[in-house]
């Protein structure tokens, strides 16, 4: 593989940053503390005059909301159960609230006059996506077999037995087709805003005829949503922030090898060999490869939050390039 000079900074203008769970925490106090730390890393990019769009995970948060709403309806059965799409919208709002306020404060502390905005984002998915025939994404609290059987009987939910800890509802994880609010996001970016969008993979919706959008009982992988967002925004770089500094092969063995660079072809080879776990690194590598292949001159970077600045300067992280 022909190596690029990693010491040369990637001179990019528009960057989509996908934040992982570590950048957000789990509880509300953890989230507020993590948002302040995350804001410092993002402000480094804003200071360099990049156009920044932020996407983020929402795993613990949307699960907490779904559980709270389910328990509420048990106590007050006269209330309508809250659909997954609405829980996703709630999580986007309250995560975005903490992120945009933390970032606004950090930018003002640095003397940077730039507004931040959270865009409640819907993401179209296809009803024909095979994921709907085989839902695998656990959501909500654990149930007894009797409670699970009742949900199956009354609401037609899919449930699984989860590692001996009880039963949980599972929903589909379809691939994103397009970002519904993409034109609004573009307008905000081009008017000098830092934009938070596609939180938690976005709110999955179907087009059901005419102009109507209907929420889907699904969860979109946030890395694939960030890739689609970057692609439709014509971004220069997709940065996926995770819990490791570099992607590795033979992970957890004496032969573990950290990778500074990957071409799409080499990444596909490692994917076929099963080097990346399905529940963690695999979607990140797949999303990075998809963005790199989506247009000329596009690159992706996978690294730690605190190493993001060094990563964009070519000093660390795993760079995926043609």
């Amino acid at each position: 593989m022909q190596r690029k000079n990693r010491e040369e900074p990637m001179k990019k203008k528009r960057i989509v940053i996908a934040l992982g769970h570590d950048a957000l925490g789990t509880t509300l106090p953890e989230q507020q503390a993590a948002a302040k730390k995350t804001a410092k890393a993002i402000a480094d990019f804003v200071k360099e005059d990049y156009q920044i769009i932020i996407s983020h995970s929402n795993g613990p948060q949307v699960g907490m909301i779904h559980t709270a709403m389910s328990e509420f309806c048990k106590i007050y059965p006269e209330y309508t159960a809250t659909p997954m799409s609405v829980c996703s919208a709630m999580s986007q709002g309250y995560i975005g609230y903490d992120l945009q306020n933390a970032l606004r404060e950090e930018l003002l502390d640095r003397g940077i006059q730039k507004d931040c905005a959270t865009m409640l984002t819907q993401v179209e998915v296809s009803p024909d996506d095979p994921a709907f025939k085989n839902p695998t994404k656990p959501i909500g609290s654990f149930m007894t077999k009797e409670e699970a059987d009742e949900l199956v009987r009354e609401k037609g939910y899919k449930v699984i037995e989860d590692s001996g800890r009880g039963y949980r509802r599972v929903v589909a994880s379809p691939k994103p087709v397009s970002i519904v609010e993409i034109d609004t996001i573009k307008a905000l970016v081009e008017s000098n805003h830092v934009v938070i969008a596609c939180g938690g993979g976005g709110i999955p919706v179907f087009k059901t005829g005419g102009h109507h959008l209907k929420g889907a009982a699904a969860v979109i992988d946030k890395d694939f949503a960030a890739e689609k967002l970057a692609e439709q925004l014509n971004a220069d770089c997709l940065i996926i922030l995770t819990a490791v500094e570099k992607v590795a092969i033979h992970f957890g063995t004496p032969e573990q090898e950290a990778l500074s660079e990957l071409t799409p072809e080499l990444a596909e080879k490692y994917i076929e060999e099963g080097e990346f776990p399905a529940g963690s690194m695999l979607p990140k590598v797949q999303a990075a490869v998809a963005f790199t292949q989506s247009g000329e001159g596009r690159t992706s970077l996978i690294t730690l939050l605190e190493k993001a600045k060094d990563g964009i300067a070519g000093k660390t992280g795993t760079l995926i390039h043609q």
Side-chain angles (χ1 to χ4, degrees):
M1 179 176 66
Q2 183 179 0
R3 297 179 63 86
K4 291 186 174 183
N5 182 358
R6 293 298 311 276
E7 295 305 318
E8 291 181 5
M10 294 185 291
K11 298 184 185 304
K12 303 299 179 184
K13 181 63 178 176
R14 184 172 293 181
I15 300 174
V16 171
I17 300 175
L19 301 175
H21 165 65
D22 289 347
L24 294 173
T26 300
T27 65
L28 185 56
E30 282 181 7
Q31 178 175 299
Q32 291 172 335
K36 289 182 179 296
K37 177 182 175 183
T38 299
K40 292 183 184 298
I42 293 171
D44 288 339
F45 292 110
V46 177
K47 183 180 178 181
E48 298 301 320
D49 205 29
Y50 291 109
Q51 292 180 332
I52 299 298
I53 307 92
I54 303 162
S55 183
H56 59 78
S57 66
N58 72 342
Q61 291 86 353
V62 76
M64 179 183 67
I65 292 168
H66 183 270
T67 299
M69 292 300 171
S70 297
E71 292 300 314
F72 178 83
C73 287
K74 287 179 184 178
I75 299 171
Y76 301 101
E78 66 271 23
Y79 283 87
T80 303
T82 308
M84 272 301 298
S85 55
V86 176
C87 293
S88 178
M90 291 178 176
S91 72
Q92 282 194 33
Y94 101 81
I95 294 171
Y97 165 67
D98 277 342
L99 271 177
Q100 72 181 37
N101 279 345
L103 190 52
R104 175 182 178 274
E105 182 177 353
E106 180 66 26
L107 292 175
L108 288 174
D109 284 347
R110 298 189 189 198
I112 300 171
Q113 297 292 328
K114 185 170 264 195
D115 290 330
C116 307
T118 299
M119 171 57 60
L120 200 65
T121 315
Q122 301 174 96
V123 178
E124 182 189 352
V125 296
S126 170
D128 299 322
D129 192 300
F132 286 105
K133 294 181 180 178
N134 182 34
T136 58
K137 192 78 171 178
I139 61 165
S141 58
F142 289 95
M143 300 174 285
T144 64
K145 188 175 189 306
E146 292 72 23
E147 290 172 327
D149 288 343
E150 184 178 349
L151 278 183
V152 172
R153 184 173 58 253
E154 292 185 358
K155 299 185 178 181
Y157 286 173
K158 301 286 186 181
V159 299
I160 61 167
E161 196 280 327
D162 192 342
S163 306
R165 295 176 292 175
Y167 290 78
R168 295 180 76 188
R169 181 187 175 192
V170 288
V171 297
S173 185
K175 294 292 178 63
V177 174
S178 66
I179 312 298
V180 175
E181 287 81 15
I182 193 65
D183 288 339
T184 307
I185 296 168
K186 283 180 181 176
L188 286 168
V189 172
E190 289 166 1
S191 61
N192 204 36
H193 286 68
V194 177
V195 184
I196 302 163
C198 288
I203 304 163
V205 294
F206 298 133
K207 285 184 177 177
T208 60
H211 304 292
H212 184 63
L213 297 173
K214 177 179 173 58
V219 176
I220 301 170
D221 185 280
K222 61 95 178 169
D223 295 311
F224 291 131
E227 187 283 323
K228 185 60 67 175
L229 177 64
E231 189 179 319
Q232 291 193 262
L233 283 173
N234 193 29
D236 299 293
C237 185
L238 170 65
I239 301 179
I240 298 176
L241 300 177
T242 186
V244 294
E245 186 170 345
K246 295 183 180 183
V247 177
I249 55 174
H250 313 308
F251 187 78
T253 72
E255 291 76 35
Q256 179 171 321
E257 178 186 351
L259 304 173
S260 295
E261 294 179 278
L262 275 174
T263 62
E265 294 76 18
L266 187 55
E268 292 291 352
K269 174 179 177 292
Y270 289 144
I271 288 170
E272 290 175 8
E273 293 173 353
E275 286 288 355
F276 309 125
S280 56
M281 189 54 72
L282 179 60
K284 294 171 176 55
V285 173
Q286 289 175 323
V289 168
F291 178 69
T292 299
Q293 292 179 317
S294 68
E296 186 177 353
R298 293 178 176 177
T299 58
S300 301
L301 175 72
I302 300 175
T303 194
L304 286 165
L305 171 69
E306 52 267 34
K307 297 288 186 177
K309 184 178 179 181
D310 286 342
I312 204 72
K315 297 176 181 178
T316 192
T318 301
L319 177 69
I320 297 90
H321 63 88
Q322 294 279 13

